Every structure is written in structure tokens, then in C-alpha cells.
Amino acid sequence: MKDHGSTVTTSAGETPAAASLPDTVRAAVSLPDSTTTVQTIDPEGATSAAGWLKVESSALCGTDLDLYQHGLAHPTVMGHHVIGEIVSLSPVMQWSWDVAVGDRVALEEYLPCGLPTCDACSKPDIYRFCPDADLWGGQRRVGMLGTHEGSGLHGGNAEYMELSTQTVLHKLPRDLDSNLAAWTQPFANAVDWVINIGGATSGSRVAIIGPGYHGIAAVAAARASGADEIVVLGRNSRTSRDRLEIAQAMGASIVVNDDAASTSLALGRHGKATGFDVIVDTVGLGGPALQATEHLRKLGRLVLAGLGDTPVTEVNLKTLVRGASGVVGVRGRSPQALTRSIELLAAHDTGLEHVPSIDVGLDGVDELFRTLLDRSGPSSPHVVIRPSL
């Protein structure tokens, strides 16, 4: 082991405290040809680290699969839903983040510029819309920076990860179960989408289209809202059936519907006479999802959380106006949702404890991606890369 505290400096010229890192760090490096190799990387390549994180877990998100499948621009250490322990920290960032070496934290994927001239960064709580951090813009995000930058250790699929002054993090309870901790970011998304934006509350009826990673998290958020009924729609495939069973174990009613065009009819059959307060589309059905607005209660909300290719050909505006209903698109989550996610997970009553965790070490990342893309991989949506395995 060598002490990098004397060789790695922040952009402000300060020395990260208590940095104790191995000479080399093992990392799963994903390549532009949609393959992954495990490489050893020298962390001393960092030139402006504000600290270092020992990675506990890096949960796999659908965005990872999309990026991987369509080809990365550079060799990249992926993984943006990261949990870990701070092992090194500059004095300024210790004050700024209000954390200390040894603290356990959850990272957000955004690396906003933080400039006062940035419209997003200059306003409270919307730094995720900073052009630098935009998924369709600058792509300055955890798990998307290439290995050619600094140490190259900018994602969670590695033993250690470099923290920058743009890193956004949240302190976690030391005793929070590791499997639940790995749900922090997707569950925060769901809390924002279902409760904060969708408006689900005690007594609500909630419908969720898609039992995937965020669909299951949405079931947990609906539970947390005190919803009276939760309905989840999925397909008649092995993976979807298994995930619907997980949703059912969490207290949801499940519906098998293979025809996207008949989504509105399927919701109508299970929406009773009064319909739903919130419908969340995690799949990206496009037009078929918008047709489901006719099954919203008065003041109901259709929340569009998925991106799909199905064109929107017709929206019944009369239904929206007469019901004072809303259609809203969502991206990521607010920092308040992350705080609430951590609180709810620490209470151990989200239902996410019913979701099997598929844990994979760095050596298994290449095969994991391959099997998920050819649909022969695990059915559980909770797939977690654990560098210590």
C-alpha cells in the first residue's frame, strides 16, 4: 500500500486527508465494442481528486445497458448507482460535503459545473439539468467519463473511485443493510416520480407500467405513500413473470398484458369505475400510455418515466381538461427525494427486502452484460456489482 495523500491534489491545491490506496486498483473497463475487461489502474494518475471512495456496490441500471449496447465513445469504468466508504477527503470538501473519512455515502450520477453563470446550478435543487451533466448533452456523469481522464476511475465498477469537486453525495447510516443501500438512487427516483410529482398519497390508487428496475422501485414508493391499491402491468415472458411475482410479494396486484396497444384497455379492466390517481409508465410506451389518461381520476397524473420509440398519434384532450388531469415527464430525482429514500430504507419497510439481489464481482461483468442483452440473464431487476467479490 502507498499513501497517495501526498501525490494527489485537488483543483484548489489541497491535499486529500488520510488517503490510503493500493498501488493498483482493479476495475471493469467497458469498451466501445460492447465488451468488458478487468484491468489494473494506477490511481496516481489522478490530477485533481477531491477524495477517494472504496466502492461497496454499483447497482446496474437500464441506462448502463443502453449505453453499453449502443457503443461507448471511450473505454469507461461504468456504474452510476454507487455506494461506498470515503477513504480520502480534502479539507475543503470535508467542509463542503459535511462528511468525514470513514463515512458511508451514496453518490448521485450528476457532475454539474457549479458555476454561478449556469442557470441550473445557480438555482436550488435543479443541478441535474446542468448542460455539463445532461445525459443528452455534456455527459459529465459518474460512470460515463472515459479512462483517459485523470485516473480513469470515475465509475462504480471498480474497487476504488475518484471523487471530484463536482461530486454530489449523501451520507448513509452505517447500519443500513447493503442490499437495501444499493436501492438508494432508483428508489429516490421512484419517490420523486410517484409521490412528489405523481401526487400519490394515503388512499391513492396507483398503476405502474413495467415491473423492471424502476417499476419495482415505484411499487415500493407507492407503498410508502400509503396507496390503497397498486396495480403493475407486465408481459408474459420469463423475466417479466418473475418480476411480477416480486411485485405481488410487495403487495401489488399484477396484470399480464403482452399487447402494448391494449394497455389502456388492461388498465380499464382493473381501474374500477373511478380509475387511478397516478399511472407511471416506466417502459416508454408513448401513444399507448397516453391513451391511458382516460383511466385517471379527477386531478390524476400520468407520469412518463421511460423513453420509447412508439409515436404519439392521438391524445384525448377533452379527457385531460374535464378531469383536470396532467401528463408529466420525469428525469432523475430531486435531492429531497434522495433524503427521503434513505429515511424510508433505514426504516426497513419499503418491501424492497423481498427483491432478490444478484451480486456479481468485477470478473463477471462482461458475461453479465452479455446475458442481460440477450435476455438469458437473471430475472431479478436488482443486479449489483460488488468489487470486493
Side-chain angles (χ1 to χ4, degrees):
M1 300 284 284
K2 61 184 177 185
D3 185 351
H4 287 271
S6 60
T7 58
V8 182
T9 59
T10 70
S11 57
E14 288 150 332
T15 304
S20 181
L21 300 172
D23 293 346
T24 57
V25 172
R26 295 182 76 243
V29 180
S30 296
L31 306 174
D33 65 355
S34 300
T35 61
T36 296
T37 63
V38 177
Q39 301 179 16
T40 55
I41 297 176
D42 185 351
E44 200 163 344
T47 56
S48 58
W52 286 89
L53 188 80
K54 183 177 182 180
V55 177
E56 173 185 317
S57 65
S58 175
L60 188 63
C61 173
T63 301
D64 292 313
L65 286 176
D66 289 342
L67 292 169
Y68 191 76
Q69 184 175 30
H70 291 101
L72 299 163
H74 310 280
T76 304
V77 178
M78 299 185 73
H80 64 277
H81 284 175
V82 186
I83 305 296
E85 177 186 338
I86 294 175
V87 295
S88 167
L89 195 59
S90 74
V92 165
M93 298 316 295
Q94 180 172 340
W95 171 84
S96 178
W97 288 330
D98 191 24
V99 294
V101 169
D103 281 345
R104 190 182 186 206
V105 297
L107 304 189
E108 295 195 42
E109 61 265 40
Y110 319 110
L111 297 172
C113 69
L115 297 174
T117 54
C118 174
D119 187 56
C121 292
S122 63
K123 296 176 182 176
D125 307 335
I126 62 168
Y127 49 81
R128 67 186 184 278
F129 297 114
C130 171
D132 277 9
D134 196 316
L135 183 60
W136 296 276
Q139 297 189 337
R140 304 294 299 176
R141 297 161 74 95
V142 169
M144 290 190 68
L145 304 184
T147 54
H148 61 286
E149 294 197 30
S151 68
L153 296 165
H154 306 294
N157 297 351
E159 294 173 319
Y160 290 84
M161 180 180 160
E162 179 183 337
L163 304 178
S164 78
T165 55
Q166 283 75 45
T167 300
V168 182
L169 53 76
H170 300 259
K171 190 173 179 179
L172 292 176
R174 292 295 307 178
D175 60 352
L176 179 59
D177 177 81
S178 185
N179 286 336
L180 290 178
W183 277 104
T184 300
Q185 297 92 333
F187 184 45
N189 289 350
V191 166
D192 225 19
W193 304 348
V194 176
I195 300 175
N196 298 344
I197 296 171
T201 187
S202 179
S204 291
R205 301 191 70 245
V206 179
I208 298 161
I209 302 172
Y213 187 47
H214 283 103
I216 292 297
V219 174
R223 278 175 51 119
S225 76
D228 268 358
E229 186 172 3
I230 308 166
V231 176
V232 181
L233 274 70
R235 295 180 295 108
N236 190 26
S237 66
R238 174 186 65 89
T239 298
S240 187
R241 278 283 191 182
D242 289 348
R243 294 176 177 183
L244 285 171
E245 288 180 6
I246 293 170
Q248 192 171 39
M250 295 171 68
S253 301
I254 61 174
V255 178
V256 175
N257 180 57
D258 275 327
D259 183 7
S262 66
T263 298
S264 180
L265 292 174
L267 287 173
R269 288 193 296 270
H270 293 82
K272 301 181 180 177
T274 54
F276 296 96
D277 297 284
V278 187
I279 300 174
V280 183
D281 175 16
T282 69
V283 177
L285 290 185
L290 286 170
Q291 291 169 13
T293 54
E294 63 187 84
H295 302 298
L296 287 171
R297 283 177 170 176
K298 296 292 189 289
L299 302 175
R301 278 255 167 132
L302 170 63
V303 179
L304 303 177
L307 290 172
D309 299 323
T310 306
V312 176
T313 57
E314 182 179 343
V315 180
N316 191 334
L317 297 180
K318 289 182 179 178
T319 298
L320 294 177
V321 171
R322 290 170 180 170
S325 304
V327 179
V328 60
V330 290
R331 290 177 59 186
R333 90 298 291 178
S334 67
Q336 293 86 353
L338 252 161
T339 299
R340 185 61 178 146
S341 168
I342 294 167
E343 292 171 349
L344 290 167
L345 288 168
H348 292 271
D349 190 30
T350 60
L352 292 170
E353 58 272 11
H354 294 290
V355 185
S357 178
I358 308 300
D359 296 337
V360 178
L362 296 177
D363 292 311
V365 172
D366 183 62
E367 181 181 4
L368 173 67
F369 273 112
R370 179 184 58 76
T371 58
L372 287 172
L373 289 174
D374 69 16
R375 300 186 182 279
S376 64
S379 293
S380 176
H382 189 42
V383 179
V384 183
I385 294 162
R386 297 189 182 273
S388 63
L389 291 180

